[in-house]
Amino acid sequence: MLWTTGNYHWYLKQSLHFGSLEENQLVSLLWDRENPYRLYVLCQGWHYLSYDWHWTTDHGMGENSQHMSNVAVIDGDKVLVTAFQHAVVPPPMCTYELQLQQAVNQVAFHTDPKHSGDMAVLDACNKISVYRYGQSTMNDPTVRFGAVGGNGFKAAVETPYLDKTYRVDVGSDSNEVMNPLGLRFLTWLPDDSFLVVGQGQHAAQSVLHHLTAVPHVAGAEEEHLNLRLSVPVDGEVISLCCSPVTRTVAVQLADGQILKYDWEASAPVLEPWQTSNGSAVQFPYPCVQTSITRISGEEMILGLTDRYRFFVNDIEVASNITSFATYNEFLLVTTNSHTCQCFCLKNISVKALQAGLSSAAAPDSETLRKVERGSRIITVVPQDTKVVLQMPRGNLETVHHRALVLAQIRKWLDRLMFREAFQCMRKLRINLNLLYDHNPKLFLENAETFIRQIDSVSSINLFFTELKEEDFTKSMYPSLNGTCNAQPLQHSDQKKVNVICDVMRVAMEHIDPQKYCLSILTAHVKKSPPELEIALQKVHDLQENVTPDVKAVSAEEALKYLLFLVDVNELYDYSLGTYDFDLVIMVAEKSQKDPKEYLPFLNTLQKMETNYQRYTIDRHLKRYTKALGHLSKCGPEHFSEFLNLVKDQNQYCEALKLYPSSTQEYKDISDAYGEYLIQKQLYEQAALIFARAGIFAKALDAFQNSGSWQQALCMASQLGYTKDKLSSLAQSMAGKLVEQRKHAEAAILLEQYTQDYEEAVLLLLEGTLWEEALRLIHKYGRLDILETNFKPAILEAQKNQLIFLDSQKTAFIHHKSRLQVVQELKKACESLQDYEMPNCPELDLFSETSSVVTASDMNSKYSHSNSRISARSSKNRRKAERKRYSLKEGSAFEDMALLEVLGENVRAVETVKGDIHILLKQLVLFGYDEQAGALQQVLEEVLELMETSIPEIWTPDLQQSSVNPVLGPNSTANSIMAAYQQKRMMTPVMKDPELLIPPKLNKNLQWKLHLLQ
């Protein structure tokens, strides 16, 4: 007898009967020193037996019967059965127990999924007792309840009955030597036949017996099993498993070889198990637990060794697995790191499974959860979410693995079983948004089904309150198998919550608006923005329509519920905004407000005229646009109040829409609006508002301030200005235009409105507008101005241009030569970085005088100044930006400063080309050929110098060297190490890209005069 203990109870697990013959008497019993479950037996007649045991869990394997998660435990002549689908009963207790006449050695559950609760029990006398469910109405005396039933309680669990007992005569010849446990691995096939493994003729040989029931012979005491077939197996069979789904039988030999028994064929055969590519499967190590499943549609065999190595076919996928179970398309495993992992096998490869088991999953992943140390999987309850684990001591624990829970919820939702899904989600705290997000189209089409199934106002309200805009199938609950059957939402322009609220509200109003009154209110409040006015109106309707229905929600209950959802002060304001005083009082009474506060206010309002009353309410609620609309209807006596409100709240645009443009009110509002715009220094916009309203005097001033002299003259015309008044206006505006260097426009004002031709010509000469000045001189016959003013002016301009060009040329040459020096220093410094010279003084010298700056240099130089700059005005900040590149010799980024200045030189000369061309024409016209020739020659020389220098300064490789090359294709190991040792590693400073683009010279402008060449 072999005994074991679990959860403080001793179980008799195996009984070996050796009989009474003398040669079968035991001489010696010895346990193996290395293998803890190997027993050696020596009999009197030199008969030697060796037994190997391993632990296994006998459980039902079906998925669609009522008794699909039963687990059987052998305890001497009893079989303790626990129905985990109904109750998790901790051992040694059980749901019910089967009492047999002999000690039990094996239990096998039926592999037909429709009868997965039926059991076959093999006892020590080689008898098979078959227990079935459902066909007998009599209570079986050999079956009695364990932990459930009795004491006046009625058990809801159905119990099996003893159907038949068969004697197995295979290999039990009386002349043979006694061989206890000669039959092992009892398996009950779906066609009600049995498979059993017996001992062959030789030690390392087994026989696979296929037994079928013989029709009952009248008068026989017990029934027999007929031997349909015996298949010899060359090797020791160490495990046998049958898949209830694929009906395949797999046999494992001691050397790891896997054989497939095709029992459904007319002549059953035993052949090697082959993979899809035709190779035979052989486990590298013998496995104590095997199972058949489909991975990506291909049938594979899983195996687990006693050393926690886990195999799929002959591939080892993990080495830390303590137990595993398959359920539907899922594989669950427990690991040595005290976790339970779940994988969907539908769309996964063996390599992906291997990677998933070897890498640590994210802590918040739904595939992994922590379990108690030493837990192993007993069974998974089908069509539920329970995984039953057993601890090392023997006690049980039930967990709901998140992956199984979500898979089951998704199945329920696809079958429109909303009630089951909702209850499970509430119990296991799954976010209720998944009800919609799993398949939005399906949910919206079946909103009425959802409401009828849930059939609870509080549950529907709970669903509404949990709604959020995010898609939980993408964030919190992504699908394990990577597929998503969610349909694209039709109302893509609307918010998710609003769509659900609208569809659900319509469905509830259609089913029973009185029953679902509170849920309808919740739907209005949950929307964004909340429809509180409609919700309040419905409460008000309830108060007026008193129905005799007892089940109907009263207005008081509805209001109480609404106050639970919304802040009372907010609800009071919304009720006030409906202008319905009955509703306001109803809300106020439910709030904590003092009647002395709100009753006088409401009484005052009720005495007012309707429009003024609504204006007062809107102003109180700070709804100024609506308040203006109501106040504008109150008549002219309230216009001053209207205007004050417009000014206070800057509601000018809205106010202008409320009055026709021909009214005095429109003019007054425009006047106020114009003054407001002037305060904001928006003179031109203010002038347009004034002009539109006919306030021409203010429009004239505003146009003057904005510099719109043409519009100002138009306003002067509207105001009927006299010639003298117009002349003085033009004079003052011309002075302002000269200050803005708008000489041509100032000259037009003086010529056309003051008739001061001489002053107009002088302004044009001041602005170097030679041709326009000549036109006026000849138009008004003032040729004397040519000698007194014009000729001296063009000669002065020629001298100024010569000085300007000379200064630009000198600066350009100087900066160009300095840039060459800086670039040479930079190259020398880079070459020095190739040597490990941390203490080289020359290196410091170069780094100070070149544009290469280290991170520490840059920080020390700029960090303090930057902190001060941040507090300055924007003007100073722009100034600091301009000064970023300093021309001081040896400063950081000196090369960039030189590039910036050289670019400015080129652009300055390019700008004056057009002015010099016009000046040359005037000089030639008045016979100053020598001066004109000198100016043309100087400009030509400067342009030629710049044109030849641009390719030398802005070289093609300049942009590539814009990033400091501490790291890069041109750096060496020495240069990088030197940079690290001197703490020179810095974030690469990107130079301004616009400075690296060469300036363009416009060659299309024909500025030279041929007669001067």
Side-chain angles (χ1 to χ4, degrees), residues 858-870 872:
M858 212 176 80
N859 289 342
S860 63
K861 192 168 180 68
Y862 289 108
S863 61
H864 301 298
S865 61
N866 280 343
S867 65
R868 287 199 303 273
I869 287 168
S870 64
R872 293 175 186 169

Side-chain angles (χ1 to χ4, degrees), residues 595-789:
K596 291 177 184 174
E597 289 178 19
Y598 64 82
L599 282 178
F601 175 60
L602 296 180
N603 290 335
T604 310
L605 288 173
Q606 284 180 319
K607 292 173 187 173
M608 295 176 181
E609 184 266 329
T610 307
N611 283 319
Y612 195 76
Q613 177 196 85
R614 292 187 173 184
Y615 151 72
T616 311
I617 290 171
D618 288 329
R619 182 162 186 176
H620 173 74
L621 297 176
K622 298 183 180 177
R623 302 192 303 194
Y624 298 112
T625 307
K626 279 189 173 183
L628 288 173
H630 291 304
L631 190 55
S632 65
K633 298 171 186 172
C634 292
E637 66 271 14
H638 290 289
F639 181 71
S640 60
E641 192 175 351
F642 177 92
L643 197 57
N644 288 334
L645 182 62
V646 170
K647 289 177 181 177
D648 288 344
Q649 302 302 326
N650 298 329
Q651 298 277 325
Y652 297 102
C653 295
E654 287 75 12
L656 287 171
K657 294 171 189 171
L658 298 171
Y659 289 97
S661 56
S662 57
T663 59
Q664 181 60 38
E665 286 88 349
Y666 184 88
K667 193 172 182 179
D668 292 345
I669 297 165
S670 298
D671 193 1
Y673 190 18
E675 294 292 347
Y676 169 74
L677 290 171
I678 285 171
Q679 286 176 5
K680 296 279 183 186
Q681 296 187 339
L682 301 170
Y683 297 111
E684 192 163 25
Q685 293 179 43
L688 293 170
I689 292 289
F690 286 137
R692 192 174 66 174
I695 310 167
F696 299 122
K698 287 188 177 182
L700 172 62
D701 292 339
F703 277 129
Q704 271 188 275
N705 287 327
S706 70
S708 302
W709 59 271
Q710 295 96 332
Q711 291 279 16
L713 290 170
C714 296
M715 293 301 106
S717 171
Q718 291 274 15
L719 290 165
Y721 269 32
T722 60
K723 195 173 181 183
D724 291 345
K725 212 170 177 185
L726 205 59
S727 175
S728 65
L729 176 67
Q731 191 80 40
S732 78
M733 285 197 292
K736 287 181 182 176
L737 289 170
V738 170
E739 287 172 13
Q740 297 166 16
R741 303 197 60 77
K742 296 179 179 176
H743 294 90
E745 295 173 25
I748 291 170
L749 280 171
L750 293 179
E751 182 210 350
Q752 295 183 4
Y753 289 92
T754 67
Q755 280 75 42
D756 190 348
Y757 316 121
E758 187 174 349
E759 188 62 34
V761 171
L762 294 177
L763 282 182
L764 290 169
L765 292 176
E766 188 183 331
T768 66
L769 300 160
W770 314 115
E771 290 175 333
E772 181 64 14
L774 262 183
R775 185 184 72 81
L776 290 188
I777 288 169
H778 285 286
K779 180 181 177 183
Y780 296 107
R782 292 294 306 275
L783 299 180
D784 55 311
I785 297 176
L786 287 176
E787 296 299 332
T788 56
N789 296 89

Side-chain angles (χ1 to χ4, degrees), residues 874-921:
S874 57
K875 183 180 176 183
N876 287 350
R877 201 155 49 241
R878 284 196 299 272
K879 205 171 177 182
E881 277 296 317
R882 286 199 298 274
K883 286 185 178 177
R884 181 180 168 194
Y885 301 124
S886 171
L887 279 173
K888 184 181 175 184
E889 291 191 8
S891 67
F893 308 117
E894 187 190 349
D895 54 344
M896 297 304 291
L898 289 166
L899 282 173
E900 189 176 21
V901 174
L902 286 164
E904 286 171 4
N905 288 148
V906 174
R907 283 186 283 274
V909 172
E910 181 66 23
T911 308
V912 298
K913 265 199 317 194
D915 296 341
I916 289 175
H917 174 62
I918 297 167
L919 180 59
L920 289 174
K921 290 194 287 186

